[in-house]
């Protein structure tokens, strides 16, 4: 973990301006950095690697003691590579179906830039949610951290949480809602970049966006069971 921290911190001065540009002007930045130049994909891979590394460092203190950080980080990195390749291929296929003209590598580059800031935002929101749970009950927070499906499998635990600490429970629900809304809004904001890259009309871009949202649900189902298959029900 020390080695990862040193690598990430060393690259932060160059990384932070790129992250700020993505957040401030996502469409313009994605288009500029997915132009088809030889080093576009390499730069995107460096950007996502630093993003994921930073996300891992933020989450490292919350890992249960029995989980080895290096093994978990390596396995999760492999999982994220599969997830990125799979859904970027879906995005690319739907745009090509609607007569989009970009290559897959340009779509992949744009997709990497789109998901990286979103991933970091969702990590922060997840940590806030965990903090709220631990403020209520440290043991419950630890159980929810060990098992992401804890409240699905134990709905009575969240009902008790709502009864005893309605404000904290409401805040946890609000954080989860913000995460879902942020995902949808960010995708809509960035959709114009894919339209420009594939050179399709607004109508076809809107249709592609609608189909991508529909495709998200079977994708999420597949990726959930892939995670369970790789890590078991106690997926990190």
């Amino acid at each position: 973990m020390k080695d990862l921290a040193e690598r990430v911190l060393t690259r932060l001065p160059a990384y932070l301006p790129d992250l700020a540009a993505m957040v401030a002007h996502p469409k313009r930045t994605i288009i500029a950095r997915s132009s088809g130049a030889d080093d576009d994909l390499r730069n995107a891979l460096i950007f996502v690697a630093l993003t994921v590394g930073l996300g891992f460092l933020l989450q490292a203190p919350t890992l249960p003691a029995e989980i080895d950080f290096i093994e978990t980080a390596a396995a999760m990195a492999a999982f994220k590579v599969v997830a990125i390749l799979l859904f970027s291929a879906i995005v690319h296929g739907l745009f090509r179906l609607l007569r989009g003209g970009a290559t897959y590598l340009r779509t992949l580059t744009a997709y990497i830039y789109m998901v990286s800031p979103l991933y970091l935002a969702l990590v922060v929101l997840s940590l806030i949610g965990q903090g709220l749970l631990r403020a209520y009950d440290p043991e419950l927070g630890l159980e929810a951290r060990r098992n992401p499906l804890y409240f699905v499998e134990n709905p009575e635990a969240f009902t008790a949480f709502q009864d005893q600490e309605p404000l904290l429970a409401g805040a946890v629900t609000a954080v989860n809602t913000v995460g879902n809304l942020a995902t949808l809004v960010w995708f809509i904001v960035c959709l114009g970049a894919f339209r420009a890259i594939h050179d399709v009309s607004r109508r076809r871009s809107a249709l592609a966006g609608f189909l991508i949202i529909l495709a998200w649900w079977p994708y999420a189902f597949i990726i959930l069971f892939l995670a369970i298959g790789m890590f078991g029900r106690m997926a990190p």
Side-chain angles (χ1 to χ4, degrees):
M1 187 171 71
K2 181 181 177 182
D3 184 55
L4 175 61
E6 289 176 351
R7 288 173 182 242
V8 171
L9 293 175
T10 300
R11 298 295 298 267
L12 274 183
Y15 168 78
L16 291 178
D18 290 342
L19 180 62
M22 267 301 308
V23 173
H25 306 287
K27 178 181 174 181
R28 184 194 313 169
T29 304
I30 291 173
I31 293 172
R33 299 184 183 186
S34 308
S35 62
D38 292 340
D39 60 349
D40 278 353
L41 182 58
R42 179 181 65 84
N43 291 335
L45 292 174
I46 292 172
F47 184 75
V48 73
L50 288 169
T51 302
V52 171
L54 183 56
F56 283 172
L57 290 178
L58 290 173
Q59 295 175 90
T62 72
L63 287 177
E66 66 270 18
I67 292 181
D68 180 86
F69 174 79
I70 299 299
E71 290 182 3
T72 302
M76 286 303 295
F79 173 75
K80 291 178 191 302
V81 167
V82 173
I84 287 173
L85 291 176
L86 178 57
F87 204 66
S88 63
I90 292 172
V91 172
H92 180 71
L94 289 173
F95 268 98
R96 289 302 299 263
L97 183 66
L98 296 170
R99 301 180 186 175
T103 63
Y104 171 65
L105 290 183
R106 287 188 71 187
T107 303
L108 174 61
T109 301
Y111 183 77
I112 286 172
Y113 278 116
M114 181 185 76
V115 298
S116 294
L118 178 62
Y119 161 76
L120 205 54
L122 293 179
V123 165
V124 171
L125 288 172
S126 175
L127 291 174
I128 292 172
Q130 290 173 40
L132 291 167
L133 276 175
R134 290 183 178 184
Y136 162 67
D137 183 345
E139 288 301 319
L140 179 62
L142 189 59
E143 285 298 323
R145 183 67 182 92
R146 284 197 183 102
N147 179 9
L149 300 177
Y150 181 80
F151 286 124
V152 175
E153 297 170 353
N154 303 276
E156 70 283 354
F158 195 77
T159 300
F161 181 26
Q162 288 177 311
D163 292 340
Q164 296 177 28
E165 291 289 349
L167 289 179
L168 284 179
V172 170
T173 301
V175 167
N176 292 334
T177 302
V178 167
N180 291 331
L181 287 176
T183 301
L184 179 60
V185 170
W186 184 251
F187 169 70
I188 293 172
V189 168
C190 295
L191 184 62
F194 291 92
R195 177 177 65 82
I197 290 168
H198 279 272
D199 192 24
V200 297
S201 67
R202 290 183 182 274
R203 184 171 62 180
R204 286 181 180 169
S205 176
L207 178 57
F210 175 72
L211 293 175
I212 290 166
I213 291 171
L214 289 182
W216 167 262
W217 300 106
Y219 163 80
F221 183 82
I222 291 169
I223 217 71
L224 169 64
F225 282 95
L226 176 62
I228 292 173
M230 290 178 67
F231 304 105
R233 286 169 61 257
M234 302 298 185

